[in-house]
Amino acid sequence: MLHVTYLIILLPLVGFGVLVAAGRRLGDPAAGVVATAMVGASFLVSIGVYLALLQVDAPVRSYSQNLWTWIPVDRLQVHAGLYVDPLSMTMVLFITGISTLIHLYSIGYMKGDKDYPKFFLYMNLFVASMLILVLGSNLLVTFVGWEGVGTCSYWLVSFWFTRESAASAGKKAFVYNRIGDVGFLLAIFLVYEKVHSLDYQVVFARIGEIGSANVTAICLLLLVGVMGKSAQIPLFPWLADAMEGPTPVSALIHAATMVTAGVYLLCRVNPLLHASPDAALTIAIVGAATAFMAATIACAQQDIKKVLAYSTVSQLGYMFLAIGCGAYTAAIFLMVAHAFFKGLLFLGAGSVIHGLHDEQDLKRMGNLRAYLPVTFITFAIGWLCIAAVPPLSGFWAKGDILDNTWAAHPALWVVGIVTAAMTAYYMSRLTGLAFFGTDRWSERATDAHELDAAHAHHADGAVSEPHESPWIMTVPLWILAFFAAAAGVMAISGSNFSLANWVDPVFGSNLYQNNLSSAALWVLAVVDAAVAVVFVLVGLRLWTQRSERPALEGSFLRGAWYVNELYDTVFGRPSERLAAFCADVIDPKVIDGAVNGVAGAFRGSGTLLRKTQTGYVRNYVLGITFGTVVVLGFMLTRMWWG
């Protein structure tokens, strides 16, 4: 079964091709059914490959498949190759599985959209690109998938491009990711310059030839790349604006694709990080700072999707923190658990928005548990998971990271536990505002409070009575809710589902051993649980009956620390002035001036020479005579002085 690994990527690509050729003719819902079937088939093949990989008897189960030689240029020999091991297989399973559910959900969510086939065309290509990224056997194949998800994110975030905010959000995501890609490309160039190969296994075997300073440089350049893709400080602002896309896109980006790419890449290059403690510490600090900053912003957001977006940024910060501590398995555990509960939360938010006729403002919701019971029950499971309430998956996943952080960097553990408290609080705030309290959706927005388009999307006027979503949208919610709640079994060491038993061999001696005593682990677990439960109760107490608490929603937090304004002042406006100067001065006066000046000089010289062509024989005879006199004079002078 391992030899058909390529089908995992090929099937979504076939779906993409079919929709390119016949999407319009298929229409709604056939285009969505085809796209969903292709990703679902990829998931089934992934299960088969996983079962085959289990049969491989080796310290590190792995399988390589070279499809063809892509770039045969002197010493640069790049294969279009796939590499399957427990790390890539873990990624493939949750990418294809969750993407299938999101595609199924989208059949109902996007019903009636005029560009329905185009949406699924992009979605299939998005999934295929992510699969290329995680299955690539070398840095260049990974980079192809990396660019593929970046391009698809641009198309999907700006899918409703007739809306100015959506078009701007797509461009913003594209630009931020291109900034990060510069770092990734420079890392690729440096790796090749030092070892003359881009294949992961060759690079890792020759780390000693690279040199410690160059290893650190490569790791930091890769960090720049993943800052863009996984929305870490300072390249995180694009992810909140990306909520302008359809909600299934938000779920796909946050749960199964794109933002997890950075976490995967850092885990894949773990031998390089192990060889550069300084780079690893930098990653941990960036992760802790991002987790804290994004959590503070989420505490005051008004748009339901933006709360979840900043929550994703914060959770990714936790994963970076774990990677920086060498706790790669903990990072992967949270990534998988996060894929389940964040996919659930986004699809649940989409169900709320669908039921409220496109209303996204938390302040115009309330008491939705009475009208959307299925959405509420499933959403509540996701809420308690991300809040890390025991015994749900978030408790085990986040606790694993905090345990390792306590052992490696106690100061960063303090940041992590404070962030955990804020996570429980802001998710309880969201749940309280949306599902509890009074029916604020029945009021006209102008009567309830002044609308602020910068903080949330709104339906027009009063919203009619909310309605539950159709079965094609609620079935994925139930499935994701089950796995979000049950994913904690992966933390049970020695079980058949233990994630540690599965992926630890990939990292080997590079994996950090925290060596905490049983007593310390129990104390840390009790602290984690107490923090989660207390701040869930605090959040509910504050926000179930009141929708306005100005003291807790300051403009600084609602404005996301004014990072966008800072970037606009420092980079945006000066760049505009520089562009205007280039357009008004450099281009017309320097560049065009130089070109036009050369042309003018030749034109002028031609005009002067043209005057010698009079057409009169006497003038030509005079010229010949004058030339002859000059030549004779020159020769006589040479004879005289000779």
Side-chain angles (χ1 to χ4, degrees):
M1 191 69 182
L2 288 170
H3 66 281
V4 299
T5 298
Y6 67 92
L7 288 177
I8 297 174
I9 299 171
L10 183 60
L11 286 166
L13 285 177
V14 169
F16 167 75
V18 169
L19 294 177
V20 167
R24 289 291 182 189
R25 289 193 293 274
L26 289 172
D28 176 358
V33 172
V34 169
T36 304
M38 289 297 113
V39 179
S42 178
F43 176 57
L44 294 177
V45 174
S46 301
I47 294 175
V49 173
Y50 163 71
L51 295 174
L53 190 62
L54 283 175
Q55 306 306 313
V56 176
D57 187 15
V60 180
R61 298 182 175 99
S62 64
Y63 172 75
S64 295
Q65 185 176 39
N66 286 330
L67 302 177
W68 66 84
T69 300
W70 177 21
I71 305 177
V73 182
D74 193 26
R75 289 185 300 179
L76 180 59
Q77 299 289 320
V78 179
H79 297 283
L82 307 180
Y83 183 72
V84 180
D85 70 348
L87 175 58
S88 60
M89 203 65 242
T90 300
M91 297 292 296
V92 165
L93 285 170
F94 83 72
I95 289 168
T96 54
I98 293 177
S99 295
T100 300
L101 295 175
I102 293 172
H103 274 70
L104 179 64
Y105 177 96
S106 301
I107 292 173
Y109 190 89
M110 297 300 293
K111 184 176 178 59
D113 192 279
K114 64 182 181 66
D115 289 321
Y116 185 92
K118 185 194 294 183
F119 176 82
F120 284 96
L121 178 154
Y122 291 155
M123 292 280 277
N124 266 199
L125 185 59
F126 203 168
V127 174
S129 298
M130 188 66 187
L131 292 170
I132 292 171
L133 191 158
V134 300
L135 285 172
S137 64
N138 59 70
L139 282 164
L140 203 54
V141 174
T142 296
F143 188 73
V144 170
W146 190 271
E147 290 302 287
V149 295
T151 302
C152 291
S153 70
Y154 166 70
W155 288 330
L156 286 167
V157 169
S158 57
F159 185 75
W160 289 321
F161 59 88
T162 54
R163 197 168 63 200
E164 177 59 32
S165 58
S168 297
K171 289 181 284 187
K172 186 174 184 179
F174 191 82
V175 170
Y176 271 80
N177 276 272
R178 297 297 74 73
I179 294 170
D181 291 347
V182 173
F184 195 172
L185 276 173
L186 291 175
I188 291 174
F189 297 153
L190 185 54
V191 167
Y192 181 74
E193 196 273 332
K194 294 301 177 184
V195 300
H196 305 297
S197 176
L198 298 176
D199 186 89
Y200 287 117
Q201 303 311 310
V202 175
V203 172
F204 299 156
R206 298 180 183 174
I207 288 178
E209 301 173 19
I210 299 176
S212 59
N214 289 319
V215 169
T216 299
I218 290 167
C219 291
L220 294 179
L221 288 170
L222 289 174
L223 175 59
V224 173
V226 300
M227 281 175 175
K229 198 68 69 184
S230 293
Q232 297 294 285
I233 291 174
L235 301 179
F236 71 92
W238 71 267
L239 193 56
D241 287 1
M243 298 303 97
E244 293 290 341
T247 300
V249 174
S250 303
L252 194 63
I253 289 175
H254 289 249
T257 63
M258 192 144 181
V259 296
T260 60
V263 179
Y264 165 78
L265 181 62
L266 292 180
C267 289
R268 173 58 71 201
V269 300
N270 68 90
L272 293 172
L273 295 180
H274 184 72
S276 178
D278 291 339
L281 179 59
T282 302
I283 292 170
I285 292 171
V286 168
T290 304
F292 175 80
M293 183 178 183
T296 62
I297 296 170
C299 289
Q301 295 305 299
Q302 191 167 310
D303 188 308
I304 186 172
K305 287 173 66 176
K306 285 195 174 183
V307 175
L308 297 177
Y310 283 112
S311 168
T312 297
V313 176
S314 183
Q315 297 302 301
L316 288 166
Y318 271 109
M319 298 173 208
F320 276 63
L321 175 59
I323 291 169
C325 295
Y328 302 106
T329 303
I332 295 168
F333 185 13
L334 180 58
M335 181 168 57
V336 174
H338 180 264
F340 290 128
F341 59 66
K342 186 53 63 70
L344 171 61
L345 290 169
F346 264 111
L347 296 187
S351 182
V352 168
I353 295 166
H354 182 268
L356 284 174
H357 309 282
D358 298 326
E359 181 61 66
Q360 294 182 204
D361 189 349
L362 286 166
K363 303 304 179 71
R364 292 194 65 199
M365 296 183 184
N367 196 31
L368 293 180
R369 72 186 191 281
Y371 303 91
L372 285 70
V374 172
T375 300
F376 169 64
I377 294 170
T378 54
F379 191 94
I381 293 172
W383 153 48
L384 296 175
C385 282
I386 195 172
V389 173
L392 301 176
S393 60
F395 169 75
W396 303 103
K398 198 171 293 183
D400 197 4
I401 290 176
L402 290 173
D403 291 349
N404 283 279
T405 304
W406 170 261
H409 305 293
L412 296 181
W413 176 86
V414 175
V415 178
I417 197 68
V418 171
T419 302
M422 287 191 289
T423 303
Y425 164 76
Y426 68 67
M427 286 305 303
S428 299
R429 170 181 176 269
L430 182 157
T431 306
L433 287 171
F435 293 100
F436 294 90
T438 59
D439 298 350
R440 295 186 303 277
W441 48 265
S442 62
E443 306 167 356
R444 289 192 62 83
T446 51
D447 296 332
H449 58 82
E450 184 179 355
L451 296 181
D452 188 345
H455 292 145
H457 284 299
H458 301 280
D460 295 329
V463 177
S464 58
E465 184 171 304
H467 59 84
E468 186 61 272
S469 298
W471 70 267
I472 203 165
M473 295 172 64
T474 56
V475 167
L477 295 180
W478 283 118
I479 296 172
L480 287 171
F482 171 78
F483 283 104
V489 299
M490 292 188 296
I492 303 173
S493 179
S495 74
N496 293 331
F497 301 99
S498 172
L499 186 65
N501 293 347
W502 172 242
V503 301
D504 278 4
V506 175
F507 307 111
S509 60
N510 297 336
L511 195 64
Y512 179 68
Q513 303 296 327
N514 59 48
N515 295 319
L516 292 173
S517 66
S518 297
L521 290 172
W522 273 103
V523 170
L524 289 169
V526 169
V527 171
D528 295 344
V531 165
V533 172
V534 167
F535 280 89
V536 162
L537 296 175
V538 168
L540 289 177
R541 176 70 178 84
L542 290 173
W543 294 102
T544 52
Q545 298 300 324
R546 290 182 58 178
S547 63
E548 298 293 339
R549 290 186 182 273
L552 299 177
E553 300 177 313
S555 59
F556 181 71
L557 297 182
R558 292 182 73 179
W561 288 37
Y562 298 122
V563 172
N564 283 309
E565 289 76 6
L566 174 64
Y567 289 174
D568 187 55
T569 301
V570 175
F571 302 109
R573 299 304 175 185
S575 296
E576 284 186 5
R577 290 193 289 270
L578 177 61
F581 175 76
C582 290
D584 298 337
V585 178
I586 301 297
D587 189 47
K589 296 182 180 179
V590 177
I591 298 175
D592 288 350
V595 174
N596 295 335
V598 172
F602 278 96
R603 184 174 62 248
S605 62
T607 300
L608 291 174
L609 290 173
R610 189 171 65 246
K611 293 179 179 179
T612 65
Q613 302 297 313
T614 63
Y616 295 111
V617 174
R618 62 178 179 270
N619 289 345
Y620 299 153
V621 172
L622 178 63
I624 293 170
T625 303
F626 178 76
T628 302
V629 170
V630 171
V631 171
L632 290 173
F634 174 74
M635 294 176 65
L636 289 172
T637 302
R638 296 274 297 184
M639 292 173 60
W640 177 266
W641 290 105

